[in-house]
PDB file of all heavy atoms in Angstrom:
ATOM      1  N   TRP A   1      39.162 165.830 -95.511  1.00 84.00           N
ATOM      2  CA  TRP A   1      39.122 167.266 -95.432  1.00 84.00           C
ATOM      3  C   TRP A   1      40.393 167.966 -94.880  1.00 84.00           C
ATOM      4  O   TRP A   1      40.907 168.922 -95.535  1.00 84.00           O
ATOM      5  CB  TRP A   1      37.885 167.625 -94.605  1.00 84.00           C
ATOM      6  CG  TRP A   1      37.924 169.143 -94.226  1.00 84.00           C
ATOM      7  CD1 TRP A   1      37.580 170.227 -95.218  1.00 84.00           C
ATOM      8  CD2 TRP A   1      38.437 169.766 -93.104  1.00 84.00           C
ATOM      9  NE1 TRP A   1      37.752 171.448 -94.519  1.00 84.00           N
ATOM     10  CE2 TRP A   1      38.218 171.104 -93.343  1.00 84.00           C
ATOM     11  CE3 TRP A   1      38.897 169.255 -91.877  1.00 84.00           C
ATOM     12  CZ2 TRP A   1      38.590 171.970 -92.277  1.00 84.00           C
ATOM     13  CZ3 TRP A   1      39.235 170.157 -91.014  1.00 84.00           C
ATOM     14  CH2 TRP A   1      39.112 171.554 -91.240  1.00 84.00           C
ATOM     15  N   SER A   2      40.839 167.394 -93.833  1.00 86.00           N
ATOM     16  CA  SER A   2      42.094 168.072 -93.182  1.00 86.00           C
ATOM     17  C   SER A   2      43.189 167.988 -94.016  1.00 86.00           C
ATOM     18  O   SER A   2      43.982 168.922 -94.200  1.00 86.00           O
ATOM     19  CB  SER A   2      42.354 167.288 -91.874  1.00 86.00           C
ATOM     20  OG  SER A   2      43.501 167.863 -91.344  1.00 86.00           O
ATOM     21  N   THR A   3      43.352 166.963 -94.897  1.00 88.00           N
ATOM     22  CA  THR A   3      44.580 166.766 -95.873  1.00 88.00           C
ATOM     23  C   THR A   3      44.428 167.797 -96.873  1.00 88.00           C
ATOM     24  O   THR A   3      45.395 168.535 -97.287  1.00 88.00           O
ATOM     25  CB  THR A   3      44.565 165.435 -96.389  1.00 88.00           C
ATOM     26  OG1 THR A   3      44.757 164.457 -95.419  1.00 88.00           O
ATOM     27  CG2 THR A   3      45.610 165.214 -97.418  1.00 88.00           C
ATOM     28  N   CYS A   4      43.110 167.931 -97.522  1.00 90.00           N
ATOM     29  CA  CYS A   4      42.977 169.020 -98.520  1.00 90.00           C
ATOM     30  C   CYS A   4      43.222 170.479 -97.965  1.00 90.00           C
ATOM     31  O   CYS A   4      43.925 171.254 -98.655  1.00 90.00           O
ATOM     32  CB  CYS A   4      41.542 168.852 -99.001  1.00 90.00           C
ATOM     33  SG  CYS A   4      41.111 167.295 -99.885  1.00 90.00           S
ATOM     34  N   ARG A   5      42.579 170.603 -96.833  1.00 88.00           N
ATOM     35  CA  ARG A   5      42.744 171.956 -96.197  1.00 88.00           C
ATOM     36  C   ARG A   5      44.204 172.407 -95.931  1.00 88.00           C
ATOM     37  O   ARG A   5      44.698 173.465 -96.233  1.00 88.00           O
ATOM     38  CB  ARG A   5      41.978 172.069 -95.015  1.00 88.00           C
ATOM     39  CG  ARG A   5      42.153 173.237 -94.124  1.00 88.00           C
ATOM     40  CD  ARG A   5      41.589 174.452 -94.603  1.00 88.00           C
ATOM     41  NE  ARG A   5      41.618 175.688 -93.868  1.00 88.00           N
ATOM     42  CZ  ARG A   5      40.973 176.681 -93.908  1.00 88.00           C
ATOM     43  NH1 ARG A   5      39.933 176.893 -94.704  1.00 88.00           N
ATOM     44  NH2 ARG A   5      41.139 177.780 -93.177  1.00 88.00           N
ATOM     45  N   THR A   6      45.002 171.498 -95.435  1.00 87.00           N
ATOM     46  CA  THR A   6      46.438 171.726 -95.095  1.00 87.00           C
ATOM     47  C   THR A   6      47.202 172.012 -96.377  1.00 87.00           C
ATOM     48  O   THR A   6      47.978 173.009 -96.485  1.00 87.00           O
ATOM     49  CB  THR A   6      47.020 170.516 -94.395  1.00 87.00           C
ATOM     50  OG1 THR A   6      46.411 170.387 -93.087  1.00 87.00           O
ATOM     51  CG2 THR A   6      48.475 170.838 -94.098  1.00 87.00           C
ATOM     52  N   ALA A   7      46.908 171.169 -97.440  1.00 88.00           N
ATOM     53  CA  ALA A   7      47.621 171.305 -98.682  1.00 88.00           C
ATOM     54  C   ALA A   7      47.349 172.715 -99.331  1.00 88.00           C
ATOM     55  O   ALA A   7      48.341 173.421 -99.770  1.00 88.00           O
ATOM     56  CB  ALA A   7      47.245 170.233 -99.647  1.00 88.00           C
ATOM     57  N   ILE A   8      46.124 173.156 -99.312  1.00 90.00           N
ATOM     58  CA  ILE A   8      45.731 174.473 -99.932  1.00 90.00           C
ATOM     59  C   ILE A   8      46.065 175.615 -98.978  1.00 90.00           C
ATOM     60  O   ILE A   8      46.671 176.576 -99.479  1.00 90.00           O
ATOM     61  CB  ILE A   8      44.215 174.480-100.120  1.00 90.00           C
ATOM     62  CG1 ILE A   8      43.804 173.358-101.175  1.00 90.00           C
ATOM     63  CG2 ILE A   8      43.775 175.719-100.588  1.00 90.00           C
ATOM     64  CD1 ILE A   8      42.435 173.052-101.351  1.00 90.00           C
ATOM     65  N   GLY A   9      45.917 175.454 -97.816  1.00 86.00           N
ATOM     66  CA  GLY A   9      46.323 176.668 -96.919  1.00 86.00           C
ATOM     67  C   GLY A   9      47.775 177.042 -96.820  1.00 86.00           C
ATOM     68  O   GLY A   9      47.981 178.244 -96.626  1.00 86.00           O
ATOM     69  N   LYS A  10      48.538 176.166 -97.005  1.00 81.00           N
ATOM     70  CA  LYS A  10      50.032 176.380 -96.936  1.00 81.00           C
ATOM     71  C   LYS A  10      50.338 177.376 -98.053  1.00 81.00           C
ATOM     72  O   LYS A  10      51.401 178.082 -97.896  1.00 81.00           O
ATOM     73  CB  LYS A  10      50.810 175.124 -97.236  1.00 81.00           C
ATOM     74  CG  LYS A  10      50.879 174.267 -95.940  1.00 81.00           C
ATOM     75  CD  LYS A  10      51.728 173.046 -96.196  1.00 81.00           C
ATOM     76  CE  LYS A  10      51.887 172.224 -94.932  1.00 81.00           C
ATOM     77  NZ  LYS A  10      52.686 170.942 -95.023  1.00 81.00           N
ATOM     78  N   HIS A  11      49.563 177.500 -99.098  1.00 82.00           N
ATOM     79  CA  HIS A  11      49.823 178.408-100.191  1.00 82.00           C
ATOM     80  C   HIS A  11      48.875 179.566-100.139  1.00 82.00           C
ATOM     81  O   HIS A  11      49.399 180.736-100.366  1.00 82.00           O
ATOM     82  CB  HIS A  11      49.812 177.645-101.505  1.00 82.00           C
ATOM     83  CG  HIS A  11      50.298 178.453-102.653  1.00 82.00           C
ATOM     84  ND1 HIS A  11      51.583 178.660-102.956  1.00 82.00           N
ATOM     85  CD2 HIS A  11      49.579 179.171-103.740  1.00 82.00           C
ATOM     86  CE1 HIS A  11      51.793 179.338-104.049  1.00 82.00           C
ATOM     87  NE2 HIS A  11      50.612 179.627-104.532  1.00 82.00           N
ATOM     88  N   MET A  12      47.664 179.466-100.001  1.00 86.00           N
ATOM     89  CA  MET A  12      46.651 180.381-100.264  1.00 86.00           C
ATOM     90  C   MET A  12      46.399 181.298 -99.095  1.00 86.00           C
ATOM     91  O   MET A  12      45.731 182.451 -99.196  1.00 86.00           O
ATOM     92  CB  MET A  12      45.285 179.931-100.774  1.00 86.00           C
ATOM     93  CG  MET A  12      45.341 179.089-102.147  1.00 86.00           C
ATOM     94  SD  MET A  12      43.809 178.854-102.894  1.00 86.00           S
ATOM     95  CE  MET A  12      43.385 180.574-103.402  1.00 86.00           C
ATOM     96  N   LEU A  13      46.734 180.836 -97.862  1.00 84.00           N
ATOM     97  CA  LEU A  13      46.402 181.570 -96.734  1.00 84.00           C
ATOM     98  C   LEU A  13      47.694 182.373 -96.077  1.00 84.00           C
ATOM     99  O   LEU A  13      47.516 182.951 -95.056  1.00 84.00           O
ATOM    100  CB  LEU A  13      45.811 180.709 -95.514  1.00 84.00           C
ATOM    101  CG  LEU A  13      44.458 180.191 -95.997  1.00 84.00           C
ATOM    102  CD1 LEU A  13      44.023 179.189 -94.807  1.00 84.00           C
ATOM    103  CD2 LEU A  13      43.416 181.315 -95.954  1.00 84.00           C
ATOM    104  N   ARG A  14      48.826 182.309 -96.732  1.00 87.00           N
ATOM    105  CA  ARG A  14      49.964 183.056 -96.310  1.00 87.00           C
ATOM    106  C   ARG A  14      49.948 184.575 -96.888  1.00 87.00           C
ATOM    107  O   ARG A  14      49.962 184.765 -98.003  1.00 87.00           O
ATOM    108  CB  ARG A  14      51.239 182.412 -96.690  1.00 87.00           C
ATOM    109  CG  ARG A  14      51.457 181.154 -95.950  1.00 87.00           C
ATOM    110  CD  ARG A  14      52.707 180.234 -96.503  1.00 87.00           C
ATOM    111  NE  ARG A  14      52.957 179.163 -95.698  1.00 87.00           N
ATOM    112  CZ  ARG A  14      53.904 178.212 -96.020  1.00 87.00           C
ATOM    113  NH1 ARG A  14      54.698 178.511 -97.069  1.00 87.00           N
ATOM    114  NH2 ARG A  14      54.052 177.164 -95.192  1.00 87.00           N
ATOM    115  N   PRO A  15      49.844 185.571 -96.052  1.00 88.00           N
ATOM    116  CA  PRO A  15      49.734 186.898 -96.523  1.00 88.00           C
ATOM    117  C   PRO A  15      50.816 187.370 -97.571  1.00 88.00           C
ATOM    118  O   PRO A  15      50.506 187.885 -98.366  1.00 88.00           O
ATOM    119  CB  PRO A  15      49.794 187.729 -95.231  1.00 88.00           C
ATOM    120  CG  PRO A  15      49.345 186.911 -94.138  1.00 88.00           C
ATOM    121  CD  PRO A  15      49.741 185.487 -94.521  1.00 88.00           C
ATOM    122  N   LYS A  16      52.087 186.880 -97.201  1.00 89.00           N
ATOM    123  CA  LYS A  16      53.229 187.253 -98.204  1.00 89.00           C
ATOM    124  C   LYS A  16      52.880 186.586 -99.551  1.00 89.00           C
ATOM    125  O   LYS A  16      53.261 187.258-100.570  1.00 89.00           O
ATOM    126  CB  LYS A  16      54.472 186.799 -97.526  1.00 89.00           C
ATOM    127  CG  LYS A  16      55.072 187.787 -96.409  1.00 89.00           C
ATOM    128  CD  LYS A  16      56.365 187.258 -95.989  1.00 89.00           C
ATOM    129  CE  LYS A  16      56.783 188.073 -94.879  1.00 89.00           C
ATOM    130  NZ  LYS A  16      58.156 187.880 -94.358  1.00 89.00           N
ATOM    131  N   THR A  17      52.481 185.328 -99.640  1.00 89.00           N
ATOM    132  CA  THR A  17      52.210 184.694-100.716  1.00 89.00           C
ATOM    133  C   THR A  17      51.040 185.365-101.417  1.00 89.00           C
ATOM    134  O   THR A  17      51.122 185.631-102.903  1.00 89.00           O
ATOM    135  CB  THR A  17      51.786 183.183-100.465  1.00 89.00           C
ATOM    136  OG1 THR A  17      52.934 182.507 -99.844  1.00 89.00           O
ATOM    137  CG2 THR A  17      51.560 182.502-101.879  1.00 89.00           C
ATOM    138  N   VAL A  18      49.913 185.674-100.823  1.00 92.00           N
ATOM    139  CA  VAL A  18      48.900 186.409-101.550  1.00 92.00           C
ATOM    140  C   VAL A  18      49.314 187.805-102.113  1.00 92.00           C
ATOM    141  O   VAL A  18      48.917 187.994-103.208  1.00 92.00           O
ATOM    142  CB  VAL A  18      47.730 186.560-100.497  1.00 92.00           C
ATOM    143  CG1 VAL A  18      46.523 187.506-101.054  1.00 92.00           C
ATOM    144  CG2 VAL A  18      47.209 185.261-100.037  1.00 92.00           C
ATOM    145  N   LEU A  19      50.093 188.522-101.493  1.00 93.00           N
ATOM    146  CA  LEU A  19      50.653 189.852-102.058  1.00 93.00           C
ATOM    147  C   LEU A  19      51.508 189.613-103.274  1.00 93.00           C
ATOM    148  O   LEU A  19      51.520 190.537-104.111  1.00 93.00           O
ATOM    149  CB  LEU A  19      51.398 190.547-100.965  1.00 93.00           C
ATOM    150  CG  LEU A  19      50.748 191.084 -99.768  1.00 93.00           C
ATOM    151  CD1 LEU A  19      51.559 191.682 -98.704  1.00 93.00           C
ATOM    152  CD2 LEU A  19      49.786 192.306-100.324  1.00 93.00           C
ATOM    153  N   GLN A  20      52.107 188.501-103.460  1.00 92.00           N
ATOM    154  CA  GLN A  20      52.839 188.162-104.704  1.00 92.00           C
ATOM    155  C   GLN A  20      51.977 188.207-105.933  1.00 92.00           C
ATOM    156  O   GLN A  20      52.450 188.340-107.059  1.00 92.00           O
ATOM    157  CB  GLN A  20      53.539 186.875-104.499  1.00 92.00           C
ATOM    158  CG  GLN A  20      54.723 186.827-103.550  1.00 92.00           C
ATOM    159  CD  GLN A  20      55.241 185.377-103.323  1.00 92.00           C
ATOM    160  OE1 GLN A  20      54.945 184.467-104.032  1.00 92.00           O
ATOM    161  NE2 GLN A  20      56.145 185.351-102.448  1.00 92.00           N
ATOM    162  N   TYR A  21      50.739 187.994-105.751  1.00 94.00           N
ATOM    163  CA  TYR A  21      49.785 188.006-106.952  1.00 94.00           C
ATOM    164  C   TYR A  21      49.205 189.399-107.258  1.00 94.00           C
ATOM    165  O   TYR A  21      48.278 189.421-108.106  1.00 94.00           O
ATOM    166  CB  TYR A  21      48.551 186.939-106.675  1.00 94.00           C
ATOM    167  CG  TYR A  21      49.132 185.494-106.754  1.00 94.00           C
ATOM    168  CD1 TYR A  21      49.482 184.881-105.568  1.00 94.00           C
ATOM    169  CD2 TYR A  21      49.440 184.936-107.927  1.00 94.00           C
ATOM    170  CE1 TYR A  21      49.918 183.493-105.543  1.00 94.00           C
ATOM    171  CE2 TYR A  21      49.849 183.540-107.841  1.00 94.00           C
ATOM    172  CZ  TYR A  21      50.173 183.003-106.652  1.00 94.00           C
ATOM    173  OH  TYR A  21      50.593 181.651-106.745  1.00 94.00           O
ATOM    174  N   VAL A  22      49.647 190.450-106.520  1.00 96.00           N
ATOM    175  CA  VAL A  22      49.000 191.759-106.875  1.00 96.00           C
ATOM    176  C   VAL A  22      49.184 192.187-108.295  1.00 96.00           C
ATOM    177  O   VAL A  22      48.201 192.671-108.953  1.00 96.00           O
ATOM    178  CB  VAL A  22      49.545 192.819-105.891  1.00 96.00           C
ATOM    179  CG1 VAL A  22      49.213 194.191-106.302  1.00 96.00           C
ATOM    180  CG2 VAL A  22      49.068 192.606-104.502  1.00 96.00           C
ATOM    181  N   ASP A  23      50.367 192.002-108.739  1.00 96.00           N
ATOM    182  CA  ASP A  23      50.668 192.375-110.211  1.00 96.00           C
ATOM    183  C   ASP A  23      49.829 191.681-111.075  1.00 96.00           C
ATOM    184  O   ASP A  23      49.239 192.372-112.015  1.00 96.00           O
ATOM    185  CB  ASP A  23      52.135 192.297-110.477  1.00 96.00           C
ATOM    186  CG  ASP A  23      52.970 193.262-109.795  1.00 96.00           C
ATOM    187  OD1 ASP A  23      52.462 194.269-109.215  1.00 96.00           O
ATOM    188  OD2 ASP A  23      54.229 192.898-109.644  1.00 96.00           O
ATOM    189  N   VAL A  24      49.769 190.376-111.139  1.00 96.00           N
ATOM    190  CA  VAL A  24      48.929 189.590-112.105  1.00 96.00           C
ATOM    191  C   VAL A  24      47.404 190.082-111.814  1.00 96.00           C
ATOM    192  O   VAL A  24      46.599 190.097-112.899  1.00 96.00           O
ATOM    193  CB  VAL A  24      49.198 188.194-112.019  1.00 96.00           C
ATOM    194  CG1 VAL A  24      48.587 187.559-110.674  1.00 96.00           C
ATOM    195  CG2 VAL A  24      48.659 187.444-113.102  1.00 96.00           C
ATOM    196  N   MET A  25      46.904 190.169-110.617  1.00 97.00           N
ATOM    197  CA  MET A  25      45.555 190.604-110.428  1.00 97.00           C
ATOM    198  C   MET A  25      45.302 191.909-111.027  1.00 97.00           C
ATOM    199  O   MET A  25      44.299 192.225-111.613  1.00 97.00           O
ATOM    200  CB  MET A  25      45.183 190.581-108.996  1.00 97.00           C
ATOM    201  CG  MET A  25      45.146 189.215-108.342  1.00 97.00           C
ATOM    202  SD  MET A  25      44.670 189.281-106.561  1.00 97.00           S
ATOM    203  CE  MET A  25      44.510 187.524-106.162  1.00 97.00           C
ATOM    204  N   ASN A  26      46.261 192.855-110.952  1.00 97.00           N
ATOM    205  CA  ASN A  26      46.156 194.122-111.596  1.00 97.00           C
ATOM    206  C   ASN A  26      46.112 194.125-113.138  1.00 97.00           C
ATOM    207  O   ASN A  26      45.359 194.850-113.762  1.00 97.00           O
ATOM    208  CB  ASN A  26      47.202 195.099-111.155  1.00 97.00           C
ATOM    209  CG  ASN A  26      47.011 195.962-109.820  1.00 97.00           C
ATOM    210  OD1 ASN A  26      45.853 196.272-109.643  1.00 97.00           O
ATOM    211  ND2 ASN A  26      47.945 196.029-109.052  1.00 97.00           N
ATOM    212  N   GLU A  27      46.775 193.210-113.694  1.00 97.00           N
ATOM    213  CA  GLU A  27      46.723 193.012-115.125  1.00 97.00           C
ATOM    214  C   GLU A  27      45.319 192.520-115.489  1.00 97.00           C
ATOM    215  O   GLU A  27      44.810 193.036-116.531  1.00 97.00           O
ATOM    216  CB  GLU A  27      47.781 191.966-115.523  1.00 97.00           C
ATOM    217  CG  GLU A  27      49.303 192.369-115.305  1.00 97.00           C
ATOM    218  CD  GLU A  27      50.137 191.319-115.857  1.00 97.00           C
ATOM    219  OE1 GLU A  27      49.665 190.165-116.233  1.00 97.00           O
ATOM    220  OE2 GLU A  27      51.518 191.377-115.572  1.00 97.00           O
ATOM    221  N   VAL A  28      44.846 191.567-114.746  1.00 98.00           N
ATOM    222  CA  VAL A  28      43.404 191.070-115.015  1.00 98.00           C
ATOM    223  C   VAL A  28      42.342 192.373-114.797  1.00 98.00           C
ATOM    224  O   VAL A  28      41.582 192.395-115.660  1.00 98.00           O
ATOM    225  CB  VAL A  28      43.039 190.059-114.026  1.00 98.00           C
ATOM    226  CG1 VAL A  28      41.616 189.668-114.231  1.00 98.00           C
ATOM    227  CG2 VAL A  28      43.952 188.749-114.340  1.00 98.00           C
ATOM    228  N   VAL A  29      42.534 193.116-113.794  1.00 98.00           N
ATOM    229  CA  VAL A  29      41.641 194.193-113.677  1.00 98.00           C
ATOM    230  C   VAL A  29      41.776 195.218-114.771  1.00 98.00           C
ATOM    231  O   VAL A  29      40.783 195.805-115.181  1.00 98.00           O
ATOM    232  CB  VAL A  29      41.903 194.936-112.305  1.00 98.00           C
ATOM    233  CG1 VAL A  29      41.093 196.210-112.186  1.00 98.00           C
ATOM    234  CG2 VAL A  29      41.677 194.033-111.097  1.00 98.00           C
ATOM    235  N   THR A  30      43.044 195.453-115.192  1.00 98.00           N
ATOM    236  CA  THR A  30      43.186 196.391-116.489  1.00 98.00           C
ATOM    237  C   THR A  30      42.288 195.795-117.696  1.00 98.00           C
ATOM    238  O   THR A  30      41.505 196.647-118.390  1.00 98.00           O
ATOM    239  CB  THR A  30      44.514 196.530-116.833  1.00 98.00           C
ATOM    240  OG1 THR A  30      45.395 197.056-115.802  1.00 98.00           O
ATOM    241  CG2 THR A  30      44.748 197.348-118.170  1.00 98.00           C
ATOM    242  N   ASP A  31      42.365 194.615-117.862  1.00 98.00           N
ATOM    243  CA  ASP A  31      41.660 193.970-119.103  1.00 98.00           C
ATOM    244  C   ASP A  31      40.067 194.078-118.613  1.00 98.00           C
ATOM    245  O   ASP A  31      39.319 194.113-119.584  1.00 98.00           O
ATOM    246  CB  ASP A  31      42.034 192.550-119.238  1.00 98.00           C
ATOM    247  CG  ASP A  31      43.431 192.481-119.839  1.00 98.00           C
ATOM    248  OD1 ASP A  31      43.865 193.490-120.289  1.00 98.00           O
ATOM    249  OD2 ASP A  31      44.064 191.378-119.837  1.00 98.00           O
ATOM    250  N   PHE A  32      39.732 193.891-117.492  1.00 98.00           N
ATOM    251  CA  PHE A  32      38.363 193.970-117.056  1.00 98.00           C
ATOM    252  C   PHE A  32      37.741 195.280-117.218  1.00 98.00           C
ATOM    253  O   PHE A  32      36.590 195.401-117.764  1.00 98.00           O
ATOM    254  CB  PHE A  32      38.263 193.594-115.534  1.00 98.00           C
ATOM    255  CG  PHE A  32      37.042 193.725-114.857  1.00 98.00           C
ATOM    256  CD1 PHE A  32      35.827 193.075-115.381  1.00 98.00           C
ATOM    257  CD2 PHE A  32      36.745 194.441-113.733  1.00 98.00           C
ATOM    258  CE1 PHE A  32      34.628 193.166-114.812  1.00 98.00           C
ATOM    259  CE2 PHE A  32      35.465 194.525-113.040  1.00 98.00           C
ATOM    260  CZ  PHE A  32      34.447 193.916-113.763  1.00 98.00           C
ATOM    261  N   VAL A  33      38.439 196.299-116.835  1.00 98.00           N
ATOM    262  CA  VAL A  33      38.005 197.771-117.053  1.00 98.00           C
ATOM    263  C   VAL A  33      37.761 197.940-118.567  1.00 98.00           C
ATOM    264  O   VAL A  33      36.645 198.419-118.998  1.00 98.00           O
ATOM    265  CB  VAL A  33      38.972 198.710-116.407  1.00 98.00           C
ATOM    266  CG1 VAL A  33      38.575 200.122-116.900  1.00 98.00           C
ATOM    267  CG2 VAL A  33      38.820 198.605-114.973  1.00 98.00           C
ATOM    268  N   ASN A  34      38.661 197.481-119.392  1.00 97.00           N
ATOM    269  CA  ASN A  34      38.725 197.709-120.810  1.00 97.00           C
ATOM    270  C   ASN A  34      37.478 196.954-121.364  1.00 97.00           C
ATOM    271  O   ASN A  34      36.796 197.337-122.310  1.00 97.00           O
ATOM    272  CB  ASN A  34      39.935 197.166-121.490  1.00 97.00           C
ATOM    273  CG  ASN A  34      41.019 198.192-121.182  1.00 97.00           C
ATOM    274  OD1 ASN A  34      40.850 199.355-120.862  1.00 97.00           O
ATOM    275  ND2 ASN A  34      42.300 197.693-121.237  1.00 97.00           N
ATOM    276  N   ARG A  35      37.202 195.646-120.883  1.00 97.00           N
ATOM    277  CA  ARG A  35      36.021 194.836-121.282  1.00 97.00           C
ATOM    278  C   ARG A  35      34.854 195.550-120.910  1.00 97.00           C
ATOM    279  O   ARG A  35      33.782 195.485-121.752  1.00 97.00           O
ATOM    280  CB  ARG A  35      36.261 193.540-120.513  1.00 97.00           C
ATOM    281  CG  ARG A  35      35.007 192.550-120.745  1.00 97.00           C
ATOM    282  CD  ARG A  35      35.034 191.862-122.054  1.00 97.00           C
ATOM    283  NE  ARG A  35      33.789 191.222-122.245  1.00 97.00           N
ATOM    284  CZ  ARG A  35      33.355 190.494-123.453  1.00 97.00           C
ATOM    285  NH1 ARG A  35      34.378 190.451-124.359  1.00 97.00           N
ATOM    286  NH2 ARG A  35      32.116 189.951-123.468  1.00 97.00           N
ATOM    287  N   LEU A  36      34.618 196.157-119.787  1.00 97.00           N
ATOM    288  CA  LEU A  36      33.330 196.866-119.368  1.00 97.00           C
ATOM    289  C   LEU A  36      33.214 197.887-120.301  1.00 97.00           C
ATOM    290  O   LEU A  36      31.990 198.049-120.742  1.00 97.00           O
ATOM    291  CB  LEU A  36      33.535 197.315-117.877  1.00 97.00           C
ATOM    292  CG  LEU A  36      33.578 196.314-116.771  1.00 97.00           C
ATOM    293  CD1 LEU A  36      33.791 196.920-115.400  1.00 97.00           C
ATOM    294  CD2 LEU A  36      32.292 195.462-116.787  1.00 97.00           C
ATOM    295  N   LYS A  37      34.237 198.751-120.668  1.00 96.00           N
ATOM    296  CA  LYS A  37      33.918 199.812-121.568  1.00 96.00           C
ATOM    297  C   LYS A  37      33.522 199.366-122.857  1.00 96.00           C
ATOM    298  O   LYS A  37      32.607 199.840-123.443  1.00 96.00           O
ATOM    299  CB  LYS A  37      35.324 200.631-121.624  1.00 96.00           C
ATOM    300  CG  LYS A  37      35.573 201.440-120.345  1.00 96.00           C
ATOM    301  CD  LYS A  37      36.874 202.217-120.420  1.00 96.00           C
ATOM    302  CE  LYS A  37      37.046 202.990-119.137  1.00 96.00           C
ATOM    303  NZ  LYS A  37      38.361 203.784-119.194  1.00 96.00           N
TER     304      LYS A  37
END
């Protein structure tokens, strides 16, 4: 478990890394709103 957690956390738990995905998440949200309509 520790090995898995360390490998994943190095990428997914860093605030700066997470913010790098704002644009792509926004693209998904745009398509989501269109899909709902």
